[in-house]
């Protein structure tokens, strides 16, 4: 997952997975906004689900059941949508269905699946499966799980108990409904990756007062002829040698090696309105031929005269200096091997949050149960990451508060213990958070260094013991960090560890300075002694209200994690066996 990528340091960064920020501070941010506006979002892997069942109930008088499986997806709003049906298996209590169901695995959301089994009566055996009216069939049982629960199993198989559900009559509620076995297999195209290095010669587009800052956007053509962006290069700033770093194209997203791709060259503008320089349309097969021949392809610029559309051929040529195809270990391969994501959280208890007893405080606990901004962030991140942490014991800290009869602490255990920092499950975090609000006094200033150092210590201990763990620290804050250089030093040191840090800003503060910590917006972080971070481990987003149908800022932030995980594993040459 996340094989279409390029960045300044490691050559890999998720495309289109960052949040849309209200300001544009640098080339990467502006390009991401540009891509998002054109429909390019986070990457995914294609999963093929297979199904079998054991011990189904017998609802027929003279023969065994004739089972049909129907697959549904439950959205975040609770709405249930049917997404697939298998064939009908005749006369079987233990069916193995041939029909598979393929779906996209999206790490950043909880994909809840519902499976319902029906016994199709004999009079309907000649009816096409998709035309069957389910209310005319006999309900045998249902099961529910998250897709994450399946793909994190070493066997990638999950056995679920079928239960009567809401559709069953009361008379069958006490009967055993059997078991459903769901197996997930990642499509090979999700692992097949092509590395390409592009170069441009005789670049024609020149800005009036400075040299050009070009970047490439690669799009696939869908059935209606609309180009959908799937990848971008970095922006080359004021460099006459127009050779971009490697881009990595995932075959699953491209479609096939023969599928047409549009490669557009834009000139970067800080206002986000990037100028199209020219483009070419080639498949991966064509690009491979260009690489083998060493020849270039002239860019063209689309022009129109009245109702006539023509392409102006430019002198600028696009060359393919490198074309390598390989099958790489995917994020899901590591999960099947037993690698885990360990969730940690740190909450800002500084006085700028306001008095927790007053409704205008960011820490106010609403008696109606409506979560405040801190609780929302914990729930949104935790509900996704909990599936990748087997023991579900989460380190939880607070910072910027004064415990009872003590000095201000910039890293205290949220559970109040002086010996251990872990709590049980997401609910344990919520309970410890509400208890801490009653037992500490909000103070300040806002320091990240101690919390990051503690998280890095856990990650370094794991690395030293060769544990299959990658750590994710969520920091939720209402203000700008005041120990900026100390935080940079801690982050640079932690960049060599199996650790990613997600920073979520809550409230109405100006978080512009916080984006300095997120290397997506500029150069890699540098410590006070001149050392540069080995990779980008920080992602920052301000929490905002999400309109219907939108991807939340936190979902966009989570979409980056698989790529950060893979970057660490590949640079360390850590591979699943």
């Amino acid at each position: 997952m996340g094989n279409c990528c390029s960045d300044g340091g490691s050559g890999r960064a998720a495309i289109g997975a960052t949040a849309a920020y209200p300001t544009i501070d640098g080339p990467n941010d502006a390009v991401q906004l540009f891509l998002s506006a054109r429909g390019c979002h986070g990457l995914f892997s294609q999963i093929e689900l297979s199904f079998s069942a054991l011990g189904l109930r017998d609802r027929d008088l003279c023969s065994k059941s004739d089972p049909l499986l129907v697959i549904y997806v439950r959205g975040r709003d609770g709405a249930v949508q049917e997404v697939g049906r298998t064939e009908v298996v005749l006369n079987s209590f233990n069916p193995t269905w041939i029909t598979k169901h393929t779906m996209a695995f999206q790490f950043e959301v909880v994909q809840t699946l519902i499976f319902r089994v029906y016994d199709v009566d004999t009079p309907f055996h000649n009816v096409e499966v998709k035309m069957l009216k389910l209310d005319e069939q006999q309900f045998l049982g249902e099961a529910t799980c998250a897709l994450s629960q399946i793909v994190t199993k070493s066997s990638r198989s999950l056995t679920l108990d079928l239960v009567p559900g809401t559709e069953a009559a009361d008379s069958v509620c006490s009967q055993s409904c059997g078991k459903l076995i769901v197996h997930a297999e990642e499509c090979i195209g999700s692992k097949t990756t092509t590395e390409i290095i592009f170069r441009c010669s005789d670049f024609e587009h020149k800005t009036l007062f400075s040299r050009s800052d070009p970047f490439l956007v690669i799009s696939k053509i869908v059935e209606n002829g609309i180009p959908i962006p799937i990848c971008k290069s970095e922006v080359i700033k004021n460099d006459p040698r127009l050779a971009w770093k490697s881009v990595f194209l995932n075959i699953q997203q491209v479609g096939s090696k023969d599928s047409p791709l549009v490669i557009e060259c834009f000139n970067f503008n800080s206002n986000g309105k990037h100028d199209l320089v020219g483009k070419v349309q080639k498949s991966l097969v064509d690009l491979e031929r260009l690489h083998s021949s060493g020849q270039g392809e002239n860019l063209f610029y689309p022009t129109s005269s009245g109702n006539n559309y023509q392409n102006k051929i430019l002198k600028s040529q696009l060359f393919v200096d490198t074309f390598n195809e390989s099958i790489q270990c995917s994020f899901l391969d590591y999960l099947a091997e037993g690698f885990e994501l360990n969730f940690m959280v740190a909450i800002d208890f500084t006085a700028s949050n306001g008095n927790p007893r007053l409704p205008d405080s960011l820490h106010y606990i609403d008696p109606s149960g409506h979560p405040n901004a801190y609780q929302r962030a914990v729930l949104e991140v935790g509900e996704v990451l909990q599936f990748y942490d087997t023991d579900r014991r989460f380190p939880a800290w607070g910072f910027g508060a004064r415990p009872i009869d003590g000095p201000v602490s910039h890293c205290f255990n949220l559970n109040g213990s002086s010996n251990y920092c872990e709590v049980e499950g997401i609910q344990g975090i919520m309970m410890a958070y509400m208890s801490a609000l009653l037992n500490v006094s909000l103070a300040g200033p806002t320091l990240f260094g101690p919390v990051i150092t503690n998280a890095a210590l856990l990650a370094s201990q794991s690395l030293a013991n060769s544990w299959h763990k990658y750590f994710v620290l969520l920091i939720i804050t209402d203000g700008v960090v005041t120990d900026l250089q100390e935080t940079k030093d801690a982050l640079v040191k932690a960049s060599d560890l199996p650790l990613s840090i997600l920073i979520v800003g809550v409230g109405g503060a100006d978080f512009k300075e916080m984006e300095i910590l997120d290397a997506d917006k500029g150069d890699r972080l540098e410590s006070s002694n001149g050392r540069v971070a080995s990779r980008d481990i920080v992602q920052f987003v301000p929490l905002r209200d999400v309109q219907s149908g939108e991807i939340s800022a936190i979902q966009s932030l989570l979409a980056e994690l698989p790529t950060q995980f893979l970057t660490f594993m590949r640079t360390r040459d850590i591979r699943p066996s």
Side-chain angles (χ1 to χ4, degrees):
M1 176 174 175
N3 288 323
C4 166
C5 34
S6 178
D7 72 6
S10 62
R12 297 171 179 270
I15 299 303
T18 54
Y21 293 89
T23 57
I24 297 173
D25 297 321
N28 284 338
D29 193 15
V31 172
Q32 296 290 11
L33 276 171
F34 176 70
L35 285 174
S36 297
R38 298 177 64 182
C40 183
H41 299 296
L43 302 179
F44 55 83
S45 292
Q46 289 291 111
I47 303 295
E48 184 181 76
L49 298 178
S50 305
F51 311 97
S52 60
L54 296 172
L56 295 180
R57 287 186 295 119
D58 187 5
R59 299 294 300 275
D60 289 343
L61 294 176
C62 302
S63 65
K64 298 177 181 179
S65 294
D66 305 317
L68 160 76
L69 179 69
V70 184
I71 305 106
Y72 302 84
V73 172
R74 178 184 289 132
R76 288 180 63 88
D77 59 357
V80 175
Q81 177 185 4
E82 181 183 329
V83 294
R85 297 184 181 188
T86 66
E87 80 281 10
V88 177
V89 177
L90 300 180
N91 296 316
S92 179
F93 297 143
N94 306 304
T96 297
W97 289 280
I98 301 300
T99 304
K100 318 295 183 189
H101 177 67
T102 301
M103 64 184 299
F105 167 70
Q106 294 175 276
F107 171 83
E108 64 274 15
V109 294
V110 178
Q111 296 169 279
T112 302
L113 304 176
I114 301 173
F115 308 102
R116 291 176 181 158
V117 184
Y118 294 86
D119 177 17
V120 179
D121 288 335
T122 303
F124 300 100
H125 284 182
N126 292 325
V127 178
E128 192 174 354
V129 168
K130 66 180 180 180
M131 301 302 295
L132 288 172
K133 295 181 179 180
L134 298 179
D135 58 1
E136 295 178 347
Q137 315 309 318
Q138 296 187 76
F139 179 74
L140 296 181
E142 73 175 29
T144 301
C145 73
L147 181 59
S148 308
Q149 291 176 273
I150 307 171
V151 298
T152 51
K153 295 290 184 182
S154 59
S155 62
R156 289 191 182 161
S157 291
L158 184 65
T159 300
L160 301 167
D161 289 322
L162 290 167
V163 298
T166 56
E167 297 195 15
D170 292 339
S171 60
V172 300
C173 284
S174 61
Q175 298 181 26
S176 171
C177 297
K179 295 183 181 296
L180 178 70
I181 299 96
V182 186
H183 178 75
E185 198 67 42
E186 187 176 10
C187 299
I188 191 65
S190 296
K191 304 180 187 182
T192 305
T193 300
T194 302
E195 177 190 8
I196 305 175
I197 295 180
F198 289 106
R199 173 174 54 87
C200 190
S201 68
D202 298 319
F203 194 68
E204 292 189 23
H205 185 85
K206 301 291 183 183
T207 55
L208 186 60
F209 299 108
S210 64
R211 301 166 94 168
S212 298
D213 300 331
F215 66 93
L216 301 177
V217 174
I218 303 173
S219 305
K220 68 177 179 181
I221 306 296
V222 296
E223 290 182 0
N224 57 8
I226 296 176
I228 302 297
I230 57 174
C231 195
K232 75 169 180 67
S233 73
E234 81 282 10
V235 177
I236 297 180
K237 297 184 289 185
N238 294 324
D239 188 342
R241 181 180 175 273
L242 296 184
W244 289 273
K245 292 181 172 64
S246 297
V247 294
F248 295 82
L249 293 176
N250 180 285
I251 300 298
Q252 186 72 53
Q253 285 201 302
V254 170
S256 73
K257 291 190 68 173
D258 294 312
S259 300
L261 298 173
V262 175
I263 305 166
E264 298 169 294
C265 183
F266 289 91
N267 189 54
F268 171 81
N269 283 320
S270 60
N271 62 7
K273 298 178 180 179
H274 311 299
D275 300 317
L276 176 65
V277 177
K279 59 184 178 179
V280 298
Q281 181 168 319
K282 294 290 179 183
S283 67
L284 286 178
V285 170
D286 298 329
L287 294 175
E288 190 172 21
R289 288 176 184 151
L290 284 178
H291 173 252
S292 299
S293 67
Q295 297 178 342
E297 180 75 13
N298 288 86
L299 299 178
F300 66 84
Y301 188 87
T303 60
S304 62
S305 176
N307 294 326
N308 297 321
Y309 291 89
Q310 299 177 342
N311 292 327
K312 177 184 176 182
I313 306 301
L314 307 177
K315 290 190 299 181
S316 304
Q317 285 192 314
L318 192 68
F319 290 83
V320 180
D321 286 349
T322 297
F323 189 98
N324 291 324
E325 188 174 288
S326 61
I327 296 178
Q328 297 189 349
C329 294
S330 69
F331 178 65
L332 296 181
D333 288 330
Y334 285 92
L335 295 182
E337 185 72 13
F339 284 78
E340 297 185 11
L341 299 180
N342 287 80
F343 179 42
M344 305 181 283
V345 64
I347 295 176
D348 183 340
F349 283 85
T350 54
S352 55
N353 284 280
N355 187 338
R357 296 176 178 82
L358 301 179
D360 61 351
S361 170
L362 292 170
H363 281 307
Y364 180 68
I365 303 299
D366 192 330
S368 69
H370 184 75
N372 64 32
Y374 284 93
Q375 292 170 312
R376 277 179 55 200
V378 170
L379 289 171
E380 282 198 47
V381 175
E383 72 175 4
V384 171
L385 294 184
Q386 63 180 338
F387 292 107
Y388 305 92
D389 194 333
T390 53
D391 66 5
R392 299 197 181 184
R393 295 182 59 85
F394 307 131
W397 300 291
F399 60 92
R402 180 180 292 104
I404 296 175
D405 299 327
V408 174
S409 174
H410 300 292
C411 186
F412 58 89
N413 295 333
L414 206 59
N415 58 17
S417 170
S418 58
N419 300 318
Y420 62 95
C421 61
E422 293 182 330
V423 297
E424 294 277 355
I426 302 302
Q427 192 58 37
I429 297 176
M430 304 298 276
M431 293 175 63
Y433 163 64
M434 290 187 289
S435 176
L437 286 174
L438 301 174
N439 293 294
V440 300
S441 299
L442 275 56
T446 304
L447 307 182
F448 286 178
V451 164
I452 294 173
T453 298
N454 263 20
L457 178 61
L458 293 180
S460 63
Q461 291 172 345
S462 173
L463 188 63
N465 288 281
S466 300
W467 296 334
H468 288 178
K469 295 180 183 293
Y470 188 91
F471 293 81
V472 181
L473 171 63
L474 170 65
I475 300 177
I476 316 170
T477 183
D478 81 316
V480 177
V481 61
T482 53
D483 62 336
L484 184 59
Q485 189 55 58
E486 291 81 358
T487 297
K488 286 183 178 181
D489 290 346
L491 291 173
V492 170
K493 187 176 180 180
S495 65
D496 293 328
L497 298 172
L499 174 66
S500 287
I501 298 174
L502 313 179
I503 304 176
V504 175
V506 297
D510 181 3
F511 292 108
K512 187 173 181 179
E513 289 185 19
M514 294 287 286
E515 296 177 10
I516 297 172
L517 303 177
D518 188 341
D520 278 350
K521 314 303 178 292
D523 297 329
R524 291 280 174 87
L525 292 178
E526 185 174 332
S527 69
S528 54
N529 61 10
R531 183 189 170 198
V532 177
S534 59
R535 62 190 181 97
D536 175 23
I537 65 170
V538 177
Q539 300 296 324
F540 168 77
V541 293
L543 189 66
R544 58 185 176 87
D545 291 330
V546 180
Q547 303 301 317
S548 177
E550 286 187 353
I551 296 176
S552 79
I554 289 183
Q555 286 177 25
S556 297
L557 187 153
L558 286 170
E560 302 262 2
L561 277 179
T563 298
Q564 292 189 357
F565 173 94
L566 288 172
T567 299
F568 176 81
M569 296 300 170
R570 288 170 180 169
T571 54
R572 288 262 179 173
D573 200 27
I574 301 173
R575 301 174 182 270
S577 59

